[in-house]
Amino acid sequence: MDERLRISTQEAERRSRQAAERFRAAAPDTGLVDVAVGTMGSPVGELLVAVTPRGLAAIAFEGDDRDRVLDRLARGLSPRVLMAARATDDVRRELDEYFRGARRRFDLRLDRRLMSPFAKDVLGATARVPFGRLATYGEIAGRIGRPKAARAVGAALGANPIPIVVPCHRVIGAGGNLTGYGGGLPRKELLLRLEGSLPAA
Amino acid sequence: MSRLPPFERFLEENRTTVFRYLTAAVGPIDADDVFQETFLAALRAYPRCNEAARLDRWILRIASRKAIDHHRGAGRRPIPVAAPPERPTEVDPAADGFGPALVAVRDLPARQRDAVAYRHILGFSVADAASLMGCSEEAVRASAYQGLRRLKQQELKERAIWTND
């Protein structure tokens, strides 16, 4: 009898994948998805973008373990995290424009809940460094009234949950060296070349 | 208490089992729709879920309730009299990855349906099935037995009809 009740694992896998895709596509319209996640290709590798009803909450680079990124979103925002790309369309469009050279500043609402109060100050000052310009860690520290906190500023920038859009890549060492980047120095270099802040390779 | 994983991972880890269950419980045609209702109900209740340690059971209980709702709804819908009887030989369900007796499971009474699905389709232990159904192991054994017997009778009856053709 059991063979006559069989559902092939392969068939169930295939059909359930389609059903899950249908679910992901429709779920955002219910207003029940607290964190919608989408992926996109870019010159700095695949990006994972996370959007909440308040705005853009996170961007992660390829190479970050996707499970860990989703865990961080679930812990810091809400467990209702879903790969629902359509809900991230606005963000992906602006990023595409930026990488094409057709956009110099982002018009996106940000959800800053993944930032500590200190990081909010640091990243707020960083967000005001315009396209094509650079600032040093010390200058950012000075602008938030903590002139001696350059190292802490560096740490907050390294943990920036919304890189690229909050342009921590524009903050460099006092001697002009790039120093460090959460996504790795090659990405920082590429972003700065794209913005004309470093000579093209 | 363990923490809830991101819903995305919960969906990915449980989708195949839920789909297998629903394919049996409501049939291959309606499984997708009831799957949507099941995970939508889960998404709604997720932040309040206090069964993070056994989310696999939690989602199957929701699926079972949605299957019951589905059958109640189907009972209220008018039955098209002129529709031709379903001919199990017209499509070969086995070729589609489904055993020939599978489509009959959805027509069993709810308890028998769940007992057969958990024990003989998903391959759960009697203890796991009992915990899912909120009943004794004896009751699971009895429901599964009655369900299988009914499927067998159904099958014999159908075979008789087709040989008379």
Side-chain angles (χ1 to χ4, degrees), chain A residues 2 4-8 11-13 15-17 19 22-24 67 70-71 75 79-81 83, chain B residues 3 6-9 12 15-16 19-20 32-33 35-36 43-44 96-102 105 155:
Chain A
D2 285 43
R4 303 184 68 75
L5 288 170
R6 189 177 65 92
I7 306 172
S8 89
E11 191 60 16
E13 214 294 319
R15 289 185 185 225
S16 75
R17 192 171 348 104
R22 187 177 155 208
F23 179 78
R24 291 185 184 98
D67 274 345
L70 296 185
D71 275 333
R75 260 199 317 274
R80 290 202 282 214
V81 178
M83 297 300 293
Chain B
R3 223 196 301 262
F7 193 87
E8 173 62 34
R9 189 176 309 142
E12 214 31 46
R15 64 174 164 83
T16 308
F19 204 89
R20 283 164 74 90
D32 191 323
D33 283 345
F35 179 97
Q36 305 301 324
L43 183 62
R44 186 170 284 120
D96 215 12
F98 300 123
L102 181 71
V105 176
E155 212 180 348

Side-chain angles (χ1 to χ4, degrees), chain B residues 8-50:
Chain B
E8 173 62 34
R9 189 176 309 142
F10 160 73
L11 168 67
E12 214 31 46
E13 284 174 357
N14 292 284
R15 64 174 164 83
T16 308
T17 304
V18 169
F19 204 89
R20 283 164 74 90
Y21 166 77
L22 288 173
T23 301
V26 301
I29 308 288
D30 293 326
D32 191 323
D33 283 345
V34 184
F35 179 97
Q36 305 301 324
E37 286 165 24
T38 298
F39 276 99
L40 194 59
L43 183 62
R44 186 170 284 120
Y46 199 56
R48 299 184 306 278
C49 170
N50 51 23

Side-chain angles (χ1 to χ4, degrees), chain B residues 56-92:
Chain B
D56 52 343
R57 289 188 191 176
W58 183 67
I59 191 66
L60 277 174
R61 278 199 298 270
I62 296 176
S64 170
R65 283 199 298 275
K66 290 296 168 188
I68 291 169
D69 289 351
H70 171 82
H71 284 289
R72 287 197 185 124
R76 279 197 302 273
R77 280 196 287 273
I79 296 158
V81 190
E86 213 171 289
R87 293 189 163 220
T89 47
E90 276 177 355
V91 283
D92 179 7

Side-chain angles (χ1 to χ4, degrees), chain A residues 91-102:
Chain A
V91 174
R92 292 187 298 155
R93 188 180 352 95
E94 292 208 8
L95 282 166
D96 269 334
E97 290 164 0
Y98 167 79
F99 286 117
R100 279 208 319 270

